[in-house]
């Protein structure tokens, strides 16, 4: 082998291996124009702000879809901060979470802003593009349910952020 050939082959193989299948994993979606571009699918309103200047988006209708990138392997903890649309005499709201059409869990949504957590098994994730879906018990129009409201959208819940976090492998967990 000529001088420098080994280094060239090493660099070439490193470049090919590191660029071929490496997926940048989505870990956090803050419901704002900067960090969720292209991630929000069907079912979401435009971005809004709370009185504390936090951005959020309403799920308009009984279904909201979110796209994200994932490296295969390992369970994940899906956490999301949201609050349900509520109205006088309205029933309890719940969100059922799906990842790539696999049903994970139905979570009752409480009346105020809260963080919810759902454990997602490794088997539901694919290497590359994935989809998360939220299905809600109801979606209602504020103008029909809240005295004085002129909002004609059909709302289920408002989302501030979503996290998709790898969990520790069983051998490294502490009891």
């Amino acid at each position: 082998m000529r001088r420098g050939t080994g280094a060239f082959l090493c660099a070439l193989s490193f470049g090919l291996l590191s660029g071929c299948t490496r997926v940048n994993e989505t870990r956090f979606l803050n419901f704002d124009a900067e960090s969720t571009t292209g991630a929000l699918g069907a079912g979401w309103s435009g971005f809004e702000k709370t009185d504390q200047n936090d951005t959020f988006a309403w799920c308009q209708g009984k279904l909201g879809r979110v796209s994200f990138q994932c490296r295969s392997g390992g369970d994940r903890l899906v956490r999301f901060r949201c609050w349900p649309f509520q109205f006088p005499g309205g029933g309890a709201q719940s969100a059922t979470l799906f990842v790539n059409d696999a049903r994970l869990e139905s979570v009752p949504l409480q009346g105020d802003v809260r963080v919810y957590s759902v454990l997602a098994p490794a088997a539901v994730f694919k290497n590359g593009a994935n989809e998360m879906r939220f299905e809600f018990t109801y979606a209602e129009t504020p103008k029909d349910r809240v005295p004085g409201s002129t909002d004609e959208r059909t709302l289920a819940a408002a989302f501030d952020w979503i996290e998709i976090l790898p969990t520790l492998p069983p051998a490294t967990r502490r009891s």
Side-chain angles (χ1 to χ4, degrees):
M1 191 181 296
R2 291 191 327 212
R3 184 175 176 200
T5 305
F8 172 76
L9 290 175
C10 181
L12 179 61
S13 67
F14 177 78
L16 290 175
L17 292 175
S18 67
C20 286
T21 58
R22 185 94 172 138
V23 173
N24 287 327
E25 190 163 271
T26 304
R27 297 279 174 93
F28 187 77
L29 294 169
N30 189 39
F31 279 65
D32 61 22
E34 293 80 31
S35 66
T36 54
T37 301
L40 297 185
W44 300 97
S45 70
F47 300 113
E48 300 179 46
K49 289 188 178 188
T50 66
D51 294 339
Q52 292 79 31
N53 222 24
D54 289 332
T55 56
F56 69 95
W58 283 101
C59 184
Q60 289 188 186
K62 293 175 69 174
L63 177 80
R65 296 178 186 274
V66 178
S67 298
F68 64 98
Q69 295 293 314
C70 185
R71 289 190 288 268
S72 59
D75 296 343
R76 287 173 176 70
L77 182 65
V78 177
R79 293 172 20 107
F80 53 96
R81 184 173 188 255
C82 76
W83 58 96
F85 170 64
Q86 295 182 307
F87 53 92
Q93 178 67 288
S94 68
T96 302
L97 179 62
F98 295 79
V99 172
N100 296 324
D101 293 324
R103 185 183 190 279
L104 299 181
E105 188 176 332
S106 186
V107 179
L109 302 181
Q110 306 300 318
D112 53 353
V113 179
R114 292 188 187 211
V115 175
Y116 300 92
S117 299
V118 174
L119 186 60
V124 304
F125 296 98
K126 306 182 287 192
N127 191 41
N130 289 261
E131 181 182 79
M132 188 178 301
R133 184 173 82 237
F134 294 89
E135 291 186 5
F136 298 93
T137 306
Y138 66 83
E140 296 287 339
T141 305
K143 78 172 187 116
D144 295 340
R145 300 292 184 179
V146 179
S149 177
T150 59
D151 192 340
E152 296 183 0
R153 297 175 296 173
T154 304
L155 307 179
F159 279 69
D160 182 14
W161 51 259
I162 298 173
E163 287 181 314
I164 307 158
L165 305 172
T167 61
L168 296 175
T172 61
R173 288 187 184 142
R174 294 185 180 176
S175 300

